[in-house]
Amino acid sequence: MENAFKLMNSPVGVLTLVARASRLAAVLWESERENRVMLGTLVEDNHHPMLLETEKQLNEYFSGTRRQFALALDFEGTAFQKQVWQALLDIPFGETRSYSQIALALGNPKSVRAVGAANGRNPISIIAPCHRVIGASGALTGFAGGLEAKAFLLTLEGHNFTTPSKASMCQQSELDF
């Protein structure tokens, strides 16, 4: 299936916005890991209505005037991944959750690692706020856009996070459950 995309400059770098028909399918990072999100063929369309609306709402978010997005989303993944991504949408602006809290909310407290894996495959970054998921210790953990972008987004939402040093990141596991 062919998908429309548009590049957007933002305070966290160039984002690639992707629409499938009239729904948002992805918000991807400049430093995107190959194959993290499978989308098929992408065709640039700087006038696609969903992409223009997504860019508008993201700009409002970055300027501090939007706390909640109102966009039609098209998540493509397994049933479990979609449950996790829906749980992300339930995390209010300015709040965080741990992987274990999400697993518990889904009714499966033993699925913490699976929740972490699904969170890492979230195709619609920022809109489905995977940046609001932190380690059980309160530490910033793996993020497709990088920990600096994660800290920026959380700070924008009122948290006081600093980017961890490379030494502390090496001591910390990829997902601090």
PDB file of all heavy atoms in Angstrom, residues 44-83:
ATOM      1  N   GLU A  44       6.034  11.376  -1.295  1.00  0.00           N
ATOM      2  CA  GLU A  44       5.943  12.708  -0.688  1.00  0.00           C
ATOM      3  C   GLU A  44       4.698  13.442  -1.163  1.00  0.00           C
ATOM      4  O   GLU A  44       4.385  13.469  -2.356  1.00  0.00           O
ATOM      5  CB  GLU A  44       7.193  13.525  -1.001  1.00  0.00           C
ATOM      6  CG  GLU A  44       7.261  14.809  -0.207  1.00  0.00           C
ATOM      7  CD  GLU A  44       8.632  15.464  -0.258  1.00  0.00           C
ATOM      8  OE1 GLU A  44       9.478  15.063  -1.078  1.00  0.00           O
ATOM      9  OE2 GLU A  44       8.852  16.376   0.548  1.00  0.00           O
ATOM     10  N   ASP A  45       3.984  14.017  -0.190  1.00  0.00           N
ATOM     11  CA  ASP A  45       2.775  14.795  -0.488  1.00  0.00           C
ATOM     12  C   ASP A  45       2.670  15.903   0.555  1.00  0.00           C
ATOM     13  O   ASP A  45       2.144  15.701   1.643  1.00  0.00           O
ATOM     14  CB  ASP A  45       1.536  13.900  -0.464  1.00  0.00           C
ATOM     15  CG  ASP A  45       0.259  14.656  -0.837  1.00  0.00           C
ATOM     16  OD1 ASP A  45       0.295  15.911  -0.931  1.00  0.00           O
ATOM     17  OD2 ASP A  45      -0.776  13.997  -1.014  1.00  0.00           O
ATOM     18  N   ASN A  46       3.199  17.069   0.222  1.00  0.00           N
ATOM     19  CA  ASN A  46       3.223  18.192   1.162  1.00  0.00           C
ATOM     20  C   ASN A  46       1.875  18.883   1.318  1.00  0.00           C
ATOM     21  O   ASN A  46       1.762  19.848   2.070  1.00  0.00           O
ATOM     22  CB  ASN A  46       4.287  19.202   0.741  1.00  0.00           C
ATOM     23  CG  ASN A  46       5.670  18.642   0.942  1.00  0.00           C
ATOM     24  OD1 ASN A  46       5.964  18.043   1.969  1.00  0.00           O
ATOM     25  ND2 ASN A  46       6.527  18.809  -0.049  1.00  0.00           N
ATOM     26  N   HIS A  47       0.861  18.405   0.611  1.00  0.00           N
ATOM     27  CA  HIS A  47      -0.466  19.019   0.680  1.00  0.00           C
ATOM     28  C   HIS A  47      -1.533  18.056   1.196  1.00  0.00           C
ATOM     29  O   HIS A  47      -2.718  18.384   1.155  1.00  0.00           O
ATOM     30  CB  HIS A  47      -0.861  19.559  -0.703  1.00  0.00           C
ATOM     31  CG  HIS A  47       0.156  20.516  -1.249  1.00  0.00           C
ATOM     32  ND1 HIS A  47       0.343  21.778  -0.737  1.00  0.00           N
ATOM     33  CD2 HIS A  47       1.079  20.371  -2.229  1.00  0.00           C
ATOM     34  CE1 HIS A  47       1.319  22.378  -1.386  1.00  0.00           C
ATOM     35  NE2 HIS A  47       1.783  21.547  -2.289  1.00  0.00           N
ATOM     36  N   HIS A  48      -1.115  16.892   1.675  1.00  0.00           N
ATOM     37  CA  HIS A  48      -2.070  15.899   2.184  1.00  0.00           C
ATOM     38  C   HIS A  48      -2.769  16.476   3.418  1.00  0.00           C
ATOM     39  O   HIS A  48      -2.107  16.914   4.370  1.00  0.00           O
ATOM     40  CB  HIS A  48      -1.326  14.611   2.540  1.00  0.00           C
ATOM     41  CG  HIS A  48      -2.221  13.459   2.840  1.00  0.00           C
ATOM     42  ND1 HIS A  48      -2.948  13.363   3.999  1.00  0.00           N
ATOM     43  CD2 HIS A  48      -2.507  12.353   2.109  1.00  0.00           C
ATOM     44  CE1 HIS A  48      -3.637  12.243   3.985  1.00  0.00           C
ATOM     45  NE2 HIS A  48      -3.392  11.606   2.843  1.00  0.00           N
ATOM     46  N   PRO A  49      -4.100  16.510   3.438  1.00  0.00           N
ATOM     47  CA  PRO A  49      -4.833  17.149   4.550  1.00  0.00           C
ATOM     48  C   PRO A  49      -4.486  16.586   5.936  1.00  0.00           C
ATOM     49  O   PRO A  49      -4.329  17.362   6.880  1.00  0.00           O
ATOM     50  CB  PRO A  49      -6.308  16.891   4.212  1.00  0.00           C
ATOM     51  CG  PRO A  49      -6.330  16.632   2.742  1.00  0.00           C
ATOM     52  CD  PRO A  49      -5.008  16.021   2.393  1.00  0.00           C
ATOM     53  N   MET A  50      -4.339  15.276   6.061  1.00  0.00           N
ATOM     54  CA  MET A  50      -4.005  14.707   7.376  1.00  0.00           C
ATOM     55  C   MET A  50      -2.602  15.121   7.806  1.00  0.00           C
ATOM     56  O   MET A  50      -2.373  15.420   8.970  1.00  0.00           O
ATOM     57  CB  MET A  50      -4.125  13.176   7.351  1.00  0.00           C
ATOM     58  CG  MET A  50      -3.642  12.501   8.654  1.00  0.00           C
ATOM     59  SD  MET A  50      -4.346  13.176  10.201  1.00  0.00           S
ATOM     60  CE  MET A  50      -6.028  12.637  10.073  1.00  0.00           C
ATOM     61  N   LEU A  51      -1.678  15.171   6.881  1.00  0.00           N
ATOM     62  CA  LEU A  51      -0.311  15.553   7.223  1.00  0.00           C
ATOM     63  C   LEU A  51      -0.226  17.031   7.592  1.00  0.00           C
ATOM     64  O   LEU A  51       0.502  17.398   8.528  1.00  0.00           O
ATOM     65  CB  LEU A  51       0.634  15.209   6.081  1.00  0.00           C
ATOM     66  CG  LEU A  51       0.672  13.718   5.706  1.00  0.00           C
ATOM     67  CD1 LEU A  51       1.614  13.489   4.537  1.00  0.00           C
ATOM     68  CD2 LEU A  51       1.053  12.865   6.906  1.00  0.00           C
ATOM     69  N   LEU A  52      -0.974  17.878   6.899  1.00  0.00           N
ATOM     70  CA  LEU A  52      -1.009  19.301   7.240  1.00  0.00           C
ATOM     71  C   LEU A  52      -1.628  19.511   8.623  1.00  0.00           C
ATOM     72  O   LEU A  52      -1.129  20.315   9.417  1.00  0.00           O
ATOM     73  CB  LEU A  52      -1.779  20.094   6.179  1.00  0.00           C
ATOM     74  CG  LEU A  52      -1.105  20.182   4.810  1.00  0.00           C
ATOM     75  CD1 LEU A  52      -2.049  20.805   3.787  1.00  0.00           C
ATOM     76  CD2 LEU A  52       0.198  20.963   4.905  1.00  0.00           C
ATOM     77  N   GLU A  53      -2.694  18.782   8.925  1.00  0.00           N
ATOM     78  CA  GLU A  53      -3.337  18.903  10.243  1.00  0.00           C
ATOM     79  C   GLU A  53      -2.420  18.366  11.344  1.00  0.00           C
ATOM     80  O   GLU A  53      -2.334  18.951  12.421  1.00  0.00           O
ATOM     81  CB  GLU A  53      -4.682  18.161  10.256  1.00  0.00           C
ATOM     82  CG  GLU A  53      -5.427  18.261  11.570  1.00  0.00           C
ATOM     83  CD  GLU A  53      -5.798  19.687  11.983  1.00  0.00           C
ATOM     84  OE1 GLU A  53      -5.920  20.576  11.124  1.00  0.00           O
ATOM     85  OE2 GLU A  53      -5.974  19.914  13.207  1.00  0.00           O
ATOM     86  N   THR A  54      -1.719  17.283  11.074  1.00  0.00           N
ATOM     87  CA  THR A  54      -0.775  16.734  12.049  1.00  0.00           C
ATOM     88  C   THR A  54       0.334  17.740  12.326  1.00  0.00           C
ATOM     89  O   THR A  54       0.682  17.992  13.486  1.00  0.00           O
ATOM     90  CB  THR A  54      -0.178  15.408  11.534  1.00  0.00           C
ATOM     91  OG1 THR A  54      -1.236  14.470  11.322  1.00  0.00           O
ATOM     92  CG2 THR A  54       0.823  14.834  12.533  1.00  0.00           C
ATOM     93  N   GLU A  55       0.881  18.330  11.275  1.00  0.00           N
ATOM     94  CA  GLU A  55       1.936  19.337  11.444  1.00  0.00           C
ATOM     95  C   GLU A  55       1.420  20.518  12.271  1.00  0.00           C
ATOM     96  O   GLU A  55       2.114  21.001  13.177  1.00  0.00           O
ATOM     97  CB  GLU A  55       2.425  19.807  10.078  1.00  0.00           C
ATOM     98  CG  GLU A  55       3.550  20.822  10.163  1.00  0.00           C
ATOM     99  CD  GLU A  55       4.074  21.211   8.792  1.00  0.00           C
ATOM    100  OE1 GLU A  55       3.261  21.365   7.849  1.00  0.00           O
ATOM    101  OE2 GLU A  55       5.299  21.369   8.676  1.00  0.00           O
ATOM    102  N   LYS A  56       0.218  20.962  11.984  1.00  0.00           N
ATOM    103  CA  LYS A  56      -0.387  22.079  12.732  1.00  0.00           C
ATOM    104  C   LYS A  56      -0.500  21.720  14.218  1.00  0.00           C
ATOM    105  O   LYS A  56      -0.103  22.508  15.090  1.00  0.00           O
ATOM    106  CB  LYS A  56      -1.760  22.402  12.142  1.00  0.00           C
ATOM    107  CG  LYS A  56      -2.548  23.455  12.907  1.00  0.00           C
ATOM    108  CD  LYS A  56      -3.932  23.628  12.274  1.00  0.00           C
ATOM    109  CE  LYS A  56      -4.864  24.420  13.143  1.00  0.00           C
ATOM    110  NZ  LYS A  56      -5.592  23.632  14.115  1.00  0.00           N
ATOM    111  N   GLN A  57      -1.040  20.561  14.513  1.00  0.00           N
ATOM    112  CA  GLN A  57      -1.223  20.170  15.911  1.00  0.00           C
ATOM    113  C   GLN A  57       0.106  19.934  16.617  1.00  0.00           C
ATOM    114  O   GLN A  57       0.261  20.289  17.794  1.00  0.00           O
ATOM    115  CB  GLN A  57      -2.129  18.938  16.002  1.00  0.00           C
ATOM    116  CG  GLN A  57      -3.571  19.262  15.640  1.00  0.00           C
ATOM    117  CD  GLN A  57      -4.532  18.129  15.942  1.00  0.00           C
ATOM    118  OE1 GLN A  57      -4.323  17.335  16.865  1.00  0.00           O
ATOM    119  NE2 GLN A  57      -5.621  18.064  15.166  1.00  0.00           N
ATOM    120  N   LEU A  58       1.081  19.362  15.936  1.00  0.00           N
ATOM    121  CA  LEU A  58       2.404  19.196  16.547  1.00  0.00           C
ATOM    122  C   LEU A  58       3.045  20.553  16.830  1.00  0.00           C
ATOM    123  O   LEU A  58       3.646  20.751  17.892  1.00  0.00           O
ATOM    124  CB  LEU A  58       3.308  18.343  15.650  1.00  0.00           C
ATOM    125  CG  LEU A  58       3.074  16.843  15.725  1.00  0.00           C
ATOM    126  CD1 LEU A  58       3.807  16.129  14.588  1.00  0.00           C
ATOM    127  CD2 LEU A  58       3.514  16.287  17.079  1.00  0.00           C
ATOM    128  N   ASN A  59       2.917  21.503  15.911  1.00  0.00           N
ATOM    129  CA  ASN A  59       3.457  22.853  16.155  1.00  0.00           C
ATOM    130  C   ASN A  59       2.781  23.498  17.362  1.00  0.00           C
ATOM    131  O   ASN A  59       3.439  24.172  18.159  1.00  0.00           O
ATOM    132  CB  ASN A  59       3.318  23.725  14.908  1.00  0.00           C
ATOM    133  CG  ASN A  59       4.402  23.444  13.890  1.00  0.00           C
ATOM    134  OD1 ASN A  59       5.529  23.114  14.247  1.00  0.00           O
ATOM    135  ND2 ASN A  59       4.065  23.562  12.614  1.00  0.00           N
ATOM    136  N   GLU A  60       1.478  23.285  17.510  1.00  0.00           N
ATOM    137  CA  GLU A  60       0.765  23.803  18.685  1.00  0.00           C
ATOM    138  C   GLU A  60       1.281  23.139  19.960  1.00  0.00           C
ATOM    139  O   GLU A  60       1.477  23.799  20.982  1.00  0.00           O
ATOM    140  CB  GLU A  60      -0.742  23.567  18.527  1.00  0.00           C
ATOM    141  CG  GLU A  60      -1.370  24.408  17.437  1.00  0.00           C
ATOM    142  CD  GLU A  60      -2.788  23.975  17.071  1.00  0.00           C
ATOM    143  OE1 GLU A  60      -3.267  22.914  17.541  1.00  0.00           O
ATOM    144  OE2 GLU A  60      -3.424  24.702  16.295  1.00  0.00           O
ATOM    145  N   TYR A  61       1.520  21.844  19.911  1.00  0.00           N
ATOM    146  CA  TYR A  61       2.072  21.109  21.055  1.00  0.00           C
ATOM    147  C   TYR A  61       3.445  21.680  21.429  1.00  0.00           C
ATOM    148  O   TYR A  61       3.711  21.982  22.591  1.00  0.00           O
ATOM    149  CB  TYR A  61       2.166  19.617  20.711  1.00  0.00           C
ATOM    150  CG  TYR A  61       2.955  18.792  21.682  1.00  0.00           C
ATOM    151  CD1 TYR A  61       2.403  18.383  22.893  1.00  0.00           C
ATOM    152  CD2 TYR A  61       4.256  18.408  21.385  1.00  0.00           C
ATOM    153  CE1 TYR A  61       3.136  17.612  23.786  1.00  0.00           C
ATOM    154  CE2 TYR A  61       4.989  17.638  22.268  1.00  0.00           C
ATOM    155  CZ  TYR A  61       4.430  17.241  23.473  1.00  0.00           C
ATOM    156  OH  TYR A  61       5.166  16.480  24.353  1.00  0.00           O
ATOM    157  N   PHE A  62       4.308  21.838  20.428  1.00  0.00           N
ATOM    158  CA  PHE A  62       5.656  22.347  20.697  1.00  0.00           C
ATOM    159  C   PHE A  62       5.640  23.786  21.201  1.00  0.00           C
ATOM    160  O   PHE A  62       6.524  24.186  21.954  1.00  0.00           O
ATOM    161  CB  PHE A  62       6.545  22.226  19.450  1.00  0.00           C
ATOM    162  CG  PHE A  62       6.939  20.819  19.117  1.00  0.00           C
ATOM    163  CD1 PHE A  62       6.689  20.295  17.860  1.00  0.00           C
ATOM    164  CD2 PHE A  62       7.557  19.997  20.054  1.00  0.00           C
ATOM    165  CE1 PHE A  62       7.049  18.991  17.544  1.00  0.00           C
ATOM    166  CE2 PHE A  62       7.919  18.696  19.757  1.00  0.00           C
ATOM    167  CZ  PHE A  62       7.664  18.193  18.495  1.00  0.00           C
ATOM    168  N   SER A  63       4.636  24.559  20.817  1.00  0.00           N
ATOM    169  CA  SER A  63       4.557  25.949  21.280  1.00  0.00           C
ATOM    170  C   SER A  63       3.882  26.050  22.652  1.00  0.00           C
ATOM    171  O   SER A  63       3.800  27.135  23.222  1.00  0.00           O
ATOM    172  CB  SER A  63       3.808  26.814  20.265  1.00  0.00           C
ATOM    173  OG  SER A  63       2.424  26.516  20.286  1.00  0.00           O
ATOM    174  N   GLY A  64       3.379  24.941  23.167  1.00  0.00           N
ATOM    175  CA  GLY A  64       2.761  24.927  24.495  1.00  0.00           C
ATOM    176  C   GLY A  64       1.277  25.233  24.506  1.00  0.00           C
ATOM    177  O   GLY A  64       0.692  25.398  25.574  1.00  0.00           O
ATOM    178  N   THR A  65       0.635  25.300  23.337  1.00  0.00           N
ATOM    179  CA  THR A  65      -0.792  25.629  23.302  1.00  0.00           C
ATOM    180  C   THR A  65      -1.691  24.406  23.103  1.00  0.00           C
ATOM    181  O   THR A  65      -2.908  24.539  23.124  1.00  0.00           O
ATOM    182  CB  THR A  65      -1.099  26.653  22.189  1.00  0.00           C
ATOM    183  OG1 THR A  65      -0.742  26.089  20.923  1.00  0.00           O
ATOM    184  CG2 THR A  65      -0.350  27.953  22.435  1.00  0.00           C
ATOM    185  N   ARG A  66      -1.119  23.226  22.906  1.00  0.00           N
ATOM    186  CA  ARG A  66      -1.915  21.999  22.743  1.00  0.00           C
ATOM    187  C   ARG A  66      -1.417  20.940  23.715  1.00  0.00           C
ATOM    188  O   ARG A  66      -0.242  20.663  23.796  1.00  0.00           O
ATOM    189  CB  ARG A  66      -1.832  21.468  21.312  1.00  0.00           C
ATOM    190  CG  ARG A  66      -2.610  20.150  21.128  1.00  0.00           C
ATOM    191  CD  ARG A  66      -2.670  19.700  19.697  1.00  0.00           C
ATOM    192  NE  ARG A  66      -3.525  20.549  18.885  1.00  0.00           N
ATOM    193  CZ  ARG A  66      -4.847  20.407  18.791  1.00  0.00           C
ATOM    194  NH1 ARG A  66      -5.465  19.461  19.459  1.00  0.00           N
ATOM    195  NH2 ARG A  66      -5.543  21.221  18.014  1.00  0.00           N
ATOM    196  N   ARG A  67      -2.368  20.341  24.437  1.00  0.00           N
ATOM    197  CA  ARG A  67      -2.045  19.280  25.394  1.00  0.00           C
ATOM    198  C   ARG A  67      -2.579  17.922  24.952  1.00  0.00           C
ATOM    199  O   ARG A  67      -2.197  16.898  25.478  1.00  0.00           O
ATOM    200  CB  ARG A  67      -2.620  19.617  26.760  1.00  0.00           C
ATOM    201  CG  ARG A  67      -2.043  20.889  27.311  1.00  0.00           C
ATOM    202  CD  ARG A  67      -2.639  21.258  28.627  1.00  0.00           C
ATOM    203  NE  ARG A  67      -1.541  21.539  29.526  1.00  0.00           N
ATOM    204  CZ  ARG A  67      -1.511  21.220  30.781  1.00  0.00           C
ATOM    205  NH1 ARG A  67      -2.525  20.627  31.349  1.00  0.00           N
ATOM    206  NH2 ARG A  67      -0.464  21.499  31.524  1.00  0.00           N
ATOM    207  N   GLN A  68      -3.501  17.939  24.007  1.00  0.00           N
ATOM    208  CA  GLN A  68      -4.129  16.702  23.544  1.00  0.00           C
ATOM    209  C   GLN A  68      -4.305  16.784  22.028  1.00  0.00           C
ATOM    210  O   GLN A  68      -4.692  17.828  21.500  1.00  0.00           O
ATOM    211  CB  GLN A  68      -5.480  16.538  24.229  1.00  0.00           C
ATOM    212  CG  GLN A  68      -6.074  15.171  24.098  1.00  0.00           C
ATOM    213  CD  GLN A  68      -7.256  15.009  25.030  1.00  0.00           C
ATOM    214  OE1 GLN A  68      -7.912  15.995  25.400  1.00  0.00           O
ATOM    215  NE2 GLN A  68      -7.541  13.799  25.420  1.00  0.00           N
ATOM    216  N   PHE A  69      -4.022  15.683  21.350  1.00  0.00           N
ATOM    217  CA  PHE A  69      -4.145  15.640  19.898  1.00  0.00           C
ATOM    218  C   PHE A  69      -5.526  15.130  19.506  1.00  0.00           C
ATOM    219  O   PHE A  69      -6.109  14.302  20.200  1.00  0.00           O
ATOM    220  CB  PHE A  69      -3.059  14.745  19.299  1.00  0.00           C
ATOM    221  CG  PHE A  69      -1.679  15.295  19.522  1.00  0.00           C
ATOM    222  CD1 PHE A  69      -0.903  14.854  20.588  1.00  0.00           C
ATOM    223  CD2 PHE A  69      -1.161  16.276  18.682  1.00  0.00           C
ATOM    224  CE1 PHE A  69       0.361  15.365  20.811  1.00  0.00           C
ATOM    225  CE2 PHE A  69       0.100  16.801  18.897  1.00  0.00           C
ATOM    226  CZ  PHE A  69       0.861  16.343  19.965  1.00  0.00           C
ATOM    227  N   ALA A  70      -6.034  15.625  18.393  1.00  0.00           N
ATOM    228  CA  ALA A  70      -7.326  15.196  17.856  1.00  0.00           C
ATOM    229  C   ALA A  70      -7.110  14.794  16.397  1.00  0.00           C
ATOM    230  O   ALA A  70      -7.351  15.579  15.481  1.00  0.00           O
ATOM    231  CB  ALA A  70      -8.342  16.330  17.961  1.00  0.00           C
ATOM    232  N   LEU A  71      -6.584  13.598  16.222  1.00  0.00           N
ATOM    233  CA  LEU A  71      -6.254  13.096  14.894  1.00  0.00           C
ATOM    234  C   LEU A  71      -6.765  11.670  14.738  1.00  0.00           C
ATOM    235  O   LEU A  71      -6.731  10.888  15.697  1.00  0.00           O
ATOM    236  CB  LEU A  71      -4.733  13.096  14.690  1.00  0.00           C
ATOM    237  CG  LEU A  71      -4.031  14.449  14.765  1.00  0.00           C
ATOM    238  CD1 LEU A  71      -2.532  14.279  14.936  1.00  0.00           C
ATOM    239  CD2 LEU A  71      -4.346  15.260  13.518  1.00  0.00           C
ATOM    240  N   ALA A  72      -7.206  11.318  13.552  1.00  0.00           N
ATOM    241  CA  ALA A  72      -7.591   9.934  13.255  1.00  0.00           C
ATOM    242  C   ALA A  72      -6.312   9.130  13.050  1.00  0.00           C
ATOM    243  O   ALA A  72      -5.486   9.477  12.203  1.00  0.00           O
ATOM    244  CB  ALA A  72      -8.458   9.888  12.004  1.00  0.00           C
ATOM    245  N   LEU A  73      -6.138   8.069  13.834  1.00  0.00           N
ATOM    246  CA  LEU A  73      -4.906   7.278  13.806  1.00  0.00           C
ATOM    247  C   LEU A  73      -5.144   5.928  13.150  1.00  0.00           C
ATOM    248  O   LEU A  73      -6.224   5.348  13.260  1.00  0.00           O
ATOM    249  CB  LEU A  73      -4.386   7.078  15.229  1.00  0.00           C
ATOM    250  CG  LEU A  73      -4.190   8.349  16.064  1.00  0.00           C
ATOM    251  CD1 LEU A  73      -3.688   8.002  17.453  1.00  0.00           C
ATOM    252  CD2 LEU A  73      -3.264   9.327  15.363  1.00  0.00           C
ATOM    253  N   ASP A  74      -4.096   5.424  12.505  1.00  0.00           N
ATOM    254  CA  ASP A  74      -4.146   4.118  11.862  1.00  0.00           C
ATOM    255  C   ASP A  74      -2.963   3.299  12.345  1.00  0.00           C
ATOM    256  O   ASP A  74      -1.907   3.281  11.710  1.00  0.00           O
ATOM    257  CB  ASP A  74      -4.125   4.275  10.333  1.00  0.00           C
ATOM    258  CG  ASP A  74      -4.333   2.958   9.609  1.00  0.00           C
ATOM    259  OD1 ASP A  74      -4.581   1.926  10.260  1.00  0.00           O
ATOM    260  OD2 ASP A  74      -4.255   2.962   8.368  1.00  0.00           O
ATOM    261  N   PHE A  75      -3.137   2.634  13.492  1.00  0.00           N
ATOM    262  CA  PHE A  75      -2.082   1.778  14.033  1.00  0.00           C
ATOM    263  C   PHE A  75      -2.081   0.451  13.291  1.00  0.00           C
ATOM    264  O   PHE A  75      -3.126  -0.186  13.147  1.00  0.00           O
ATOM    265  CB  PHE A  75      -2.333   1.491  15.518  1.00  0.00           C
ATOM    266  CG  PHE A  75      -2.025   2.632  16.430  1.00  0.00           C
ATOM    267  CD1 PHE A  75      -3.040   3.236  17.155  1.00  0.00           C
ATOM    268  CD2 PHE A  75      -0.730   3.084  16.591  1.00  0.00           C
ATOM    269  CE1 PHE A  75      -2.757   4.272  18.024  1.00  0.00           C
ATOM    270  CE2 PHE A  75      -0.442   4.130  17.451  1.00  0.00           C
ATOM    271  CZ  PHE A  75      -1.459   4.721  18.171  1.00  0.00           C
ATOM    272  N   GLU A  76      -0.918   0.033  12.834  1.00  0.00           N
ATOM    273  CA  GLU A  76      -0.790  -1.268  12.209  1.00  0.00           C
ATOM    274  C   GLU A  76       0.195  -2.088  13.016  1.00  0.00           C
ATOM    275  O   GLU A  76       1.364  -1.732  13.131  1.00  0.00           O
ATOM    276  CB  GLU A  76      -0.325  -1.130  10.757  1.00  0.00           C
ATOM    277  CG  GLU A  76      -0.423  -2.422   9.982  1.00  0.00           C
ATOM    278  CD  GLU A  76      -0.210  -2.211   8.502  1.00  0.00           C
ATOM    279  OE1 GLU A  76      -1.052  -1.546   7.883  1.00  0.00           O
ATOM    280  OE2 GLU A  76       0.802  -2.708   7.990  1.00  0.00           O
ATOM    281  N   GLY A  77      -0.305  -3.167  13.612  1.00  0.00           N
ATOM    282  CA  GLY A  77       0.532  -4.031  14.428  1.00  0.00           C
ATOM    283  C   GLY A  77      -0.278  -5.198  14.936  1.00  0.00           C
ATOM    284  O   GLY A  77      -1.422  -5.407  14.510  1.00  0.00           O
ATOM    285  N   THR A  78       0.300  -5.948  15.861  1.00  0.00           N
ATOM    286  CA  THR A  78      -0.409  -7.083  16.435  1.00  0.00           C
ATOM    287  C   THR A  78      -1.495  -6.580  17.383  1.00  0.00           C
ATOM    288  O   THR A  78      -1.493  -5.406  17.788  1.00  0.00           O
ATOM    289  CB  THR A  78       0.549  -7.988  17.230  1.00  0.00           C
ATOM    290  OG1 THR A  78       1.002  -7.259  18.387  1.00  0.00           O
ATOM    291  CG2 THR A  78       1.745  -8.431  16.383  1.00  0.00           C
ATOM    292  N   ALA A  79      -2.385  -7.466  17.775  1.00  0.00           N
ATOM    293  CA  ALA A  79      -3.452  -7.096  18.710  1.00  0.00           C
ATOM    294  C   ALA A  79      -2.851  -6.597  20.023  1.00  0.00           C
ATOM    295  O   ALA A  79      -3.311  -5.595  20.587  1.00  0.00           O
ATOM    296  CB  ALA A  79      -4.380  -8.281  18.957  1.00  0.00           C
ATOM    297  N   PHE A  80      -1.787  -7.260  20.507  1.00  0.00           N
ATOM    298  CA  PHE A  80      -1.158  -6.832  21.756  1.00  0.00           C
ATOM    299  C   PHE A  80      -0.514  -5.459  21.602  1.00  0.00           C
ATOM    300  O   PHE A  80      -0.666  -4.589  22.467  1.00  0.00           O
ATOM    301  CB  PHE A  80      -0.121  -7.858  22.235  1.00  0.00           C
ATOM    302  CG  PHE A  80       0.536  -7.457  23.518  1.00  0.00           C
ATOM    303  CD1 PHE A  80      -0.137  -7.600  24.729  1.00  0.00           C
ATOM    304  CD2 PHE A  80       1.810  -6.903  23.534  1.00  0.00           C
ATOM    305  CE1 PHE A  80       0.452  -7.217  25.926  1.00  0.00           C
ATOM    306  CE2 PHE A  80       2.405  -6.509  24.724  1.00  0.00           C
ATOM    307  CZ  PHE A  80       1.725  -6.670  25.925  1.00  0.00           C
ATOM    308  N   GLN A  81       0.210  -5.243  20.497  1.00  0.00           N
ATOM    309  CA  GLN A  81       0.822  -3.932  20.271  1.00  0.00           C
ATOM    310  C   GLN A  81      -0.237  -2.838  20.267  1.00  0.00           C
ATOM    311  O   GLN A  81      -0.052  -1.787  20.883  1.00  0.00           O
ATOM    312  CB  GLN A  81       1.587  -3.919  18.942  1.00  0.00           C
ATOM    313  CG  GLN A  81       2.885  -4.696  18.978  1.00  0.00           C
ATOM    314  CD  GLN A  81       3.524  -4.804  17.616  1.00  0.00           C
ATOM    315  OE1 GLN A  81       2.846  -4.877  16.583  1.00  0.00           O
ATOM    316  NE2 GLN A  81       4.853  -4.831  17.589  1.00  0.00           N
ATOM    317  N   LYS A  82      -1.355  -3.082  19.596  1.00  0.00           N
ATOM    318  CA  LYS A  82      -2.424  -2.086  19.546  1.00  0.00           C
ATOM    319  C   LYS A  82      -2.983  -1.805  20.936  1.00  0.00           C
ATOM    320  O   LYS A  82      -3.323  -0.654  21.240  1.00  0.00           O
ATOM    321  CB  LYS A  82      -3.531  -2.546  18.598  1.00  0.00           C
ATOM    322  CG  LYS A  82      -3.116  -2.496  17.133  1.00  0.00           C
ATOM    323  CD  LYS A  82      -4.214  -3.024  16.241  1.00  0.00           C
ATOM    324  CE  LYS A  82      -3.801  -3.047  14.793  1.00  0.00           C
ATOM    325  NZ  LYS A  82      -4.861  -3.581  13.922  1.00  0.00           N
ATOM    326  N   GLN A  83      -3.056  -2.815  21.799  1.00  0.00           N
ATOM    327  CA  GLN A  83      -3.505  -2.594  23.188  1.00  0.00           C
ATOM    328  C   GLN A  83      -2.538  -1.670  23.909  1.00  0.00           C
ATOM    329  O   GLN A  83      -2.954  -0.757  24.624  1.00  0.00           O
ATOM    330  CB  GLN A  83      -3.571  -3.920  23.960  1.00  0.00           C
ATOM    331  CG  GLN A  83      -4.781  -4.746  23.743  1.00  0.00           C
ATOM    332  CD  GLN A  83      -4.743  -5.943  24.672  1.00  0.00           C
ATOM    333  OE1 GLN A  83      -3.785  -6.711  24.706  1.00  0.00           O
ATOM    334  NE2 GLN A  83      -5.792  -6.093  25.460  1.00  0.00           N
TER     335      GLN A  83
END
